Amino acid sequence: MTRETWATRLGFILAAVGSAVGLGNVWRFPWMTAQNGGSAFLLIYLAIVILVGVPGLLGEFVIGRRAKRNPVGALRDLSGSRGWALVGALGVATATVLLSFYSVVGGWILRYFLESLYGFVGTAPYAGEPGAHFSAISFGPEAVAFHLVFLGLTAAIVVSGVRRGIELGTKLMMPAIVVLLAGLAVWAGTQDGALAGYEFFLSFDASTVRANWLDLLAPAAGQALFTLSLGAGTMLVYASYLGEDQSLPADATTIAVLNTAVGVLAGLVVFPLLFSLGVEPGSGGPGALFVGLAGAFATLPAGALIGTLFFGVVLLAALSSAISILEIPVAFLVDEFALSRRTAVGAVSGVIALGGVANALQSSLFGFIAGQVVDTLLTLGLLLFLLFVGWQLGPVAVEEFRKGAGATTARLATTWRYFVGTVIPVFLAFTLLTGLGLDGMIGRWAVVAVAVAVTVVAAAVFNRSRTAA
Ligand code: PHE
């Protein structure tokens, strides 16, 4: 059977933007920004998107388009080594863990969407006690049920294939998301007190950046990878369905810009609303979106309508990301074991359904995975993918980067190769180790030294194994 490809270049871009735009933009981004002091965090996060995110996207694209395979097959085929296949397998495992918590949050969104749609918003249990309502529904049997429905919707799209499922689905969802969010942002701006929200989100205080930037690196990097869907192999798999006639650097830039624009737009909805209602954005933690906004909608005249639109947008964004996560293990089973798409989707969804049940019943497990495990795995995954690109692929990566990108890219491509092989791995190793708390034990500069040492050794080893091959 021939492997499917995207019908159009726009289809690929929209699918990739659909993957990027998700709970990371609307749920995690405002919450992390609030927890880390607002605009100082935003600035560092933007810098990381440009300096690490775009080159990282290109790294996954180059591997995927070159190999036309899932992460395991791609790294194995391009290197001829089983060791590298394990790095691909790490991506497949990360995706499975990731979706098992993502789908639980997707279930919450689905529930709030339906509750708004049916007009429960202005009534008990929302009115007065949105926090109690969220606590009552977020973990337990009902959370399990909504998680399973959300996962079922995701599987239904993925089972229809690359063109008729993912491409068509995201082509319909993305414009709806942007239009609705823009409308909501305008509306949110008309609320009393919106200005305080803008100020918190956008005003920029150089002294807090100078004082805190080192502490903000790890959380900002984690958020940048999460929101750009980097480190698990989503972008690798999506690029594996590409034809040759694309400019990867142009696509990566477009995707990062659109994703950031939607993230900022979501902030322009969420922050003015929270401030206009006097909800402290940092206080709610992961539940802030649900508690703060559902509470807000309950008190507004047109609350049910606004709530339906808002949670509808978030639901679409979550779905278009969830399908991209599910596609990683599905592509693995289809490519490597020649399973039909239907069987592969069934098998993978079964495993993720069980993982999600555990997360939906155990808030401590959920918190651990959402807060720690996912960031660590994505950072480690991207670090290894980029070492592979820089040192194992080397000149092959440069050649693939330039294919379809025009004659002027020679300099850019070689610069990119060294950047993804040296500076970015050191940076990722640093954030990985500080994220794990190593800096508290041995000090920051020692962590930097370890990160440099790891990268240099890896570069030397992989560079040699390529020359030998
Ligand atoms: N980017 C997605 C979001 O922001 C999450 C995601 C992470 C998707 C990793 C795929 C891979 O919601």
Side-chain angles (χ1 to χ4, degrees):
M1 212 177 64
T2 55
R3 213 158 179 279
E4 260 194 291
T5 57
W6 304 106
T8 64
R9 175 175 186 192
L10 183 68
F12 161 68
I13 292 180
L14 286 183
V17 176
S19 169
V21 170
L23 296 173
N25 305 62
V26 193
W27 169 67
R28 218 179 103 126
F29 176 64
W31 149 51
M32 298 232 356
T33 307
Q35 226 165 37
N36 291 294
S39 49
F41 175 81
L42 179 65
L43 186 84
I44 289 172
Y45 156 83
L46 286 177
I48 296 178
V49 165
I50 296 167
L51 295 173
V52 179
V54 174
L57 278 172
L58 279 162
E60 288 205 20
F61 285 170
V62 159
I63 302 174
R65 188 175 70 175
R66 184 80 182 186
K68 307 246 178 327
R69 279 201 163 253
N70 68 90
V72 175
L75 272 76
R76 184 200 53 220
D77 290 359
L78 293 177
S79 67
S81 123
R82 277 172 181 281
W84 280 116
L86 281 178
V87 171
L90 175 72
V92 174
T94 301
T96 310
V97 172
L98 172 62
L99 191 53
S100 72
F101 107 81
Y102 204 88
S103 175
V104 173
V105 185
W108 298 344
I109 308 272
L110 179 62
R111 176 178 188 131
Y112 276 83
F113 171 69
L114 292 173
E115 288 183 336
S116 309
L117 183 66
Y118 288 106
F120 298 161
V121 155
T123 62
Y126 280 91
E129 282 305 324
H133 180 57
F134 179 72
S135 320
I137 60 112
S138 45
F139 297 101
E142 294 180 27
V144 168
F146 280 96
H147 141 64
L148 292 175
V149 176
F150 180 84
L151 185 62
L153 291 173
T154 307
I157 300 177
V158 172
V159 99
S160 307
V162 175
R163 280 192 192 187
R164 287 187 337 119
I166 301 174
E167 186 166 354
L168 183 64
T170 45
K171 227 180 219 164
L172 298 174
M173 290 191 268
M174 290 320 293
I177 291 172
V178 172
V179 170
L180 290 175
L181 260 188
L184 284 165
V186 171
W187 171 82
T190 65
Q191 301 299 303
D192 289 342
L195 267 182
Y198 294 138
E199 201 174 306
F200 173 78
F201 185 40
L202 298 174
S203 77
F204 170 64
D205 172 7
S207 65
T208 47
V209 177
R210 236 177 282 128
N212 295 330
W213 67 276
L214 263 171
D215 294 323
L216 296 179
L217 285 180
Q223 174 60 17
L225 299 201
F226 186 88
T227 190
L228 286 172
S229 307
L230 287 172
T234 282
M235 293 300 181
L236 187 162
V237 170
Y238 272 14
S240 78
Y241 300 125
L242 271 177
E244 303 295 348
D245 54 337
Q246 310 256 345
S247 165
L248 295 179
D251 291 353
T253 311
T254 309
I255 291 160
V257 167
L258 288 177
N259 178 60
T260 304
V262 176
V264 171
L265 203 54
L268 294 179
V269 177
V270 172
F271 288 111
L273 270 185
L274 290 180
F275 276 84
S276 76
L277 283 136
V279 181
E280 173 62 42
S283 62
L289 180 73
F290 300 95
V291 177
L293 292 180
F297 298 146
T299 64
L300 294 169
L305 174 66
I306 300 284
T308 307
L309 293 177
F310 179 78
F311 285 112
V313 171
V314 185
L315 183 61
L316 292 180
L319 257 181
S320 61
S321 300
I323 58 181
S324 77
I325 307 174
L326 184 58
E327 182 63 20
I328 302 172
V330 167
F332 166 64
L333 293 183
V334 170
D335 285 348
E336 301 301 314
F337 300 97
L339 295 187
S340 72
R341 186 164 265 278
R342 183 171 290 274
T343 314
V345 170
V348 174
S349 306
V351 173
I352 293 171
L354 288 179
V357 169
N359 275 311
L361 292 176
Q362 268 299 324
S363 64
S364 54
L365 175 68
F366 174 93
F368 178 56
I369 291 186
Q372 274 277 317
V373 175
V374 165
D375 270 4
T376 306
L377 289 177
L378 292 179
T379 309
L380 181 63
L382 187 65
L383 171 62
L384 293 168
F385 284 151
L386 294 184
L387 286 174
F388 180 81
V389 168
W391 301 105
Q392 178 72 38
L393 287 183
V396 174
V398 172
E399 186 189 306
E400 189 64 30
F401 178 107
R402 298 191 58 200
K403 224 184 254 169
T408 54
T409 53
R411 254 265 172 70
L412 186 64
T414 25
T415 313
W416 164 80
R417 177 199 157 183
Y418 283 101
F419 207 55
V420 297
T422 56
V423 181
I424 299 182
V426 170
F427 174 76
L428 290 174
F430 174 79
T431 64
L432 181 73
L433 297 172
T434 40
L436 292 173
L438 193 69
D439 56 334
M441 286 177 246
I442 63 172
R444 236 170 224 150
W445 290 107
V447 175
V448 173
V450 172
V452 172
V454 168
T455 305
V456 169
V457 171
V461 171
F462 302 145
N463 200 31
R464 254 187 72 207
S465 82
R466 168 167 54 85
T467 326

